[in-house]
């Protein structure tokens, strides 16, 4: 146990950090046990997990932003933090992986490749549509983002690339596809009470 503490300069061995201290020590010890493939978890007498690190199933409240490498901001939670459960599909897998292991108060900045984010652009998602499919009085300009109805009733977004009297060229690729994306996150709260403990 002492060797685990000494080998971890971030063990927070101060004040009332007994839970965090024990949790980190147990995880260091688990790396020495070949039969333990996952981090060990502490539980209270009621069986509730006490680890404060983000993991699959954690409910997290955070601020985050997505931007291009040139600094252009594509999305920012700004003043309204978002709460979600990791693994419920709210965040892309690549974004969730960037959060694993973080605790409340910590920040993370990572640049994700297209494969880790929204994938590469697909030429087949650039469609030519008749101008008559759009309202006659609609003022269409390149760069506009419009909502389109799908046959199943869902909606998708498309970016107008060009338009003339007869046709409109629309890009249905996700706007951030094919781009390296800078993901910045500030974790506000972590709740692991809903994660079942291993038998």
């Amino acid at each position: 146990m002492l060797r685990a503490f000494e080998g971890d300069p971030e063990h927070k061995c101060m004040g009332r950090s007994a839970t965090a201290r024990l949790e980190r020590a147990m995880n260091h010890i688990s790396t020495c046990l070949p039969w333990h493939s996952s981090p060990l978890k502490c539980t209270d007498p009621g069986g509730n997990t006490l680890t404060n690190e983000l993991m699959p199933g954690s409910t997290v409240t955070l601020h985050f932003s997505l931007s291009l490498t040139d600094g252009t901001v594509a999305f920012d939670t700004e003043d309204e933090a978002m709460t979600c459960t990791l693994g419920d599909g709210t965040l892309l897998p690549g974004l969730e992986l960037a959060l694993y292991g973080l605790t409340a108060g910590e920040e993370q900045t990572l640049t994700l490749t297209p494969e880790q984010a929204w994938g590469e652009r697909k030429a087949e998602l650039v469609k030519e549509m008749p101008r008559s499919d759009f309202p006659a009085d609609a003022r269409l300009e390149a760069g506009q983002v419009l909502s389109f109805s799908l046959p199943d009733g869902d909606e998708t977004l498309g970016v107008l690339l060009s338009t003339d009297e007869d046709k409109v060229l629309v890009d249905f690729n996700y706007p951030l596809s094919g781009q390296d994306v800078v993901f910045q996150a500030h974790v506000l709260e972590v709740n692991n009470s809903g994660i079942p403990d291993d038998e």
Side-chain angles (χ1 to χ4, degrees):
M1 183 74 75
L2 291 176
R3 290 178 62 189
F5 285 144
E6 292 170 355
D8 178 17
E10 298 180 4
H11 60 68
K12 303 176 184 176
C13 187
M14 297 177 64
R16 300 180 180 180
S17 60
T19 299
R21 186 168 65 247
L22 179 58
E23 186 68 38
R24 293 182 67 85
M26 290 177 68
N27 286 335
H28 277 283
I29 294 170
S30 71
T31 62
C32 302
L33 306 178
W35 59 87
H36 242 288
S37 58
S38 60
L40 299 171
K41 293 188 287 185
C42 300
T43 57
D44 64 16
N48 298 311
T49 183
L50 295 178
T51 181
N52 60 352
E53 294 185 353
L54 285 170
M55 63 181 69
S58 297
T59 297
V60 57
T61 299
L62 76 165
H63 280 295
F64 76 92
S65 66
L66 302 169
S67 59
L68 303 181
T69 53
D70 66 2
T72 302
V73 177
F75 177 81
D76 193 335
T77 57
E78 297 180 343
D79 297 329
E80 186 174 350
M82 186 184 79
T83 299
C84 65
T85 299
L86 300 187
D88 69 1
T90 300
L91 297 177
L92 288 177
L95 302 185
E96 290 190 348
L97 286 174
L99 295 174
Y100 290 155
L102 297 182
T103 60
E106 290 189 316
E107 300 182 14
Q108 177 77 288
T109 299
L110 288 177
T111 299
L112 305 177
T113 65
E115 292 76 14
Q116 296 169 320
W118 278 271
E120 297 290 351
R121 288 176 50 79
K122 298 178 180 178
E124 61 269 25
L125 292 181
V126 177
K127 306 287 186 181
E128 187 175 279
M129 303 177 65
R131 177 62 178 82
S132 58
D133 284 354
F134 299 82
D137 59 349
R139 184 174 180 178
L140 303 179
E141 298 178 350
Q144 280 182 298
V145 179
L146 298 179
S147 178
F148 294 83
S149 297
L150 299 175
D152 61 4
D154 287 340
E155 293 190 347
T156 188
L157 297 179
V159 179
L160 303 191
L161 299 181
S162 64
T163 181
D164 59 31
E165 294 181 356
D166 301 317
K167 61 184 181 297
V168 178
L169 195 63
V170 183
D171 186 357
F172 289 101
N173 283 286
Y174 189 80
L176 293 179
S177 61
Q179 304 268 8
D180 287 344
V181 178
V182 180
F183 176 54
Q184 293 182 296
H186 179 197
V187 178
L188 302 178
E189 296 180 12
V190 176
N191 184 348
N192 287 331
S193 62
I195 300 176
D197 292 301
D198 296 332
E199 296 296 334

